[in-house]
Amino acid sequence: MRKILLATFILTILILTSAMSAQFNANAARMLAPSGGDISIDFVGANPSTYNHLTGVGGQFNQGGTNDVVESLEGGDFECGDIVVFFDAITVDDGASAGTSTIEIVNSYNRFTTSGGAVGFFTINSVTLQMSDPGYSSNANETVSFVDASTATQTIIEASVTGVESGETIILREELILGCTEDPANVTGNVQTALESAQITAGGSGTINTGQQTVPLKGAGSLPTFTPTPTNTATSTSTNTPTNTPTNTPTDTPTNTPTDTSTNTPTDTPTNTPTDTPTNTPTDTPTNTPTDTPTNTPTDTPTDTPTNTATNTPTNTPTNTPTNTSTPACTTENLCSLIRSPGFWTNWDNHFTEAEFQALIAATQDYSGLTVAQAEAILTNNADQYHRHLLAAELNVALNPELGDGIYTV
């Protein structure tokens, strides 16, 4: 009995020792890479004057000064369809443990204003590491990927950055497209953006303290208003054109043309003749009188009037009006939201597989014979903006064919 108890006791000790050793080794492994307490994140917007709002080119975090970044944005600095640039500056303490960690950063960008106006960030343009930034400091072994976790009211980016090490400063750049599905003139309130959370997912462990960092777009109603109003054009044109044209044409032309003499003679003669010469006129005069007097009058007057009026009206009016009215416009069908910049296509692998991207290239008009590598060379060549933007435009049409039929009037 004692032997059994002793054996059981020894076995229990061995099991506990093994479990404690495993836990110790796991904790030790986590201590060999930066943990949540070693990392800080600064969420800001790029200064709107430092980059191109149509292409997204430009803008930097640098050292986080006011010339480069801002804590809030102003609606008056942008237009509907513009690219807006944000930064997450990730700083790792010099005293952090050696080794590499992977961190996840979650940013949210509202699709509506605080008062419910339909102006906000509906589309992700690109998510990249800005290694060329003067403020970026690392051994350049970092990578980034992201998940689009958007909801009906928010565009949410869950970005994962690998290769995070002690003493590094890593600049995560996120580009969003500012969309308007209603006229900003009718909108009030701000568009809110926020750094929601951050944590270590591999290497070290722990949550990164981010505080409550926001970069609001203030005064969404101060964005430029929409210029065209396609609805008004259609109403005015379609109502007036059919009313005037069909009424004038059948009334003037068919009556006068088939019978010039018989129509005009009874109209002018019976009225004037019966009063003065009811008996004599029908025998001797009917031939001479209507020939000189009534014939000349109706021939010149009725013939010219309907010819000029009825012919010109339908030619000028119905032809020009439908052309301007029925074509799709950016404001009514929100085609702007389908346009992707060259920066978006440069980072195609964040959105498509290689096979999918090759299929889109093959569907372009002028670049169908390119390989993926050749397309990337054009999209990343800032010295040749013509081909860079033309290829991006044709890829947009290949992805959304309705863009090829649209006329953009905004």
Side-chain angles (χ1 to χ4, degrees), residues 111-130:
R111 295 181 170 184
F112 300 90
T113 69
T114 49
S115 61
V119 173
F121 299 103
F122 287 82
T123 308
I124 302 169
N125 190 57
S126 66
V127 177
T128 58
L129 294 178
Q130 186 154 299

Side-chain angles (χ1 to χ4, degrees), residues 19-159:
M20 291 174 66
S21 176
Q23 183 64 42
F24 176 80
N25 290 335
N27 291 338
R30 280 194 286 268
M31 292 174 62
L32 294 177
S35 62
D38 299 320
I39 300 172
S40 62
I41 300 174
D42 187 14
F43 176 57
V44 292
N47 187 321
S49 65
T50 62
Y51 62 95
N52 187 311
H53 295 185
L54 297 180
T55 64
V57 174
Q60 60 185 18
F61 180 83
N62 203 352
Q63 303 304 315
T66 56
N67 290 334
D68 299 301
V69 300
V70 293
E71 301 292 337
S72 64
L73 302 167
E74 297 295 333
D77 291 332
F78 298 93
E79 296 184 10
C80 298
D82 276 1
I83 293 174
V84 184
V85 178
F86 297 87
F87 296 120
D88 286 298
I90 306 160
T91 302
V92 187
D93 190 86
D94 290 334
S97 299
T100 62
S101 290
T102 299
I103 66 173
E104 179 189 71
I105 300 174
V106 180
N107 290 335
S108 66
Y109 304 90
N110 284 10
R111 295 181 170 184
F112 300 90
T113 69
T114 49
S115 61
V119 173
F121 299 103
F122 287 82
T123 308
I124 302 169
N125 190 57
S126 66
V127 177
T128 58
L129 294 178
Q130 186 154 299
M131 293 186 176
S132 61
D133 196 295
Y136 202 108
S137 175
S138 77
N139 58 7
N141 71 334
E142 302 82 31
T143 64
V144 65
S145 60
F146 76 94
V147 173
D148 183 349
S150 300
T151 67
T153 58
Q154 287 185 311
T155 297
I156 299 176
I157 299 175
E158 296 178 352

Side-chain angles (χ1 to χ4, degrees), residues 310-402:
T311 303
N312 295 336
T313 302
T315 302
N316 296 332
T317 306
T319 302
N320 296 334
T321 304
T323 302
N324 295 331
T325 304
S326 59
T327 48
C330 190
T331 55
T332 57
E333 299 183 15
N334 198 24
L335 293 179
C336 287
S337 65
L338 302 179
I339 299 174
R340 304 290 183 266
S341 71
F344 173 91
W345 292 110
T346 299
N347 297 284
W348 61 267
D349 52 348
N350 289 332
H351 314 281
F352 310 100
T353 65
E354 184 172 354
E356 290 171 337
F357 187 52
Q358 183 67 68
L360 289 172
I361 296 171
T364 62
Q365 175 178 294
D366 301 302
Y367 301 94
S368 58
L370 296 184
T371 64
V372 170
Q374 290 170 329
E376 285 179 333
I378 292 176
L379 291 169
T380 56
N381 184 8
N382 290 324
D384 185 3
Q385 292 292 340
Y386 173 79
H387 286 287
R388 184 169 181 257
H389 283 273
L390 181 59
L391 175 55
E394 293 191 14
L395 287 169
N396 283 328
V397 176
L399 180 62
N400 295 290
E402 59 266 39

Side-chain angles (χ1 to χ4, degrees), residues 200-214:
I200 305 290
T201 58
S205 64
T207 300
I208 301 171
N209 183 15
T210 59
Q212 295 181 338
Q213 299 186 53
T214 62

Side-chain angles (χ1 to χ4, degrees), residues 221-241:
S222 61
L223 271 75
T225 58
F226 295 142
T227 302
T229 356
T231 304
N232 294 339
T233 305
T235 304
S236 302
T237 305
S238 59
T239 303
N240 295 335
T241 304

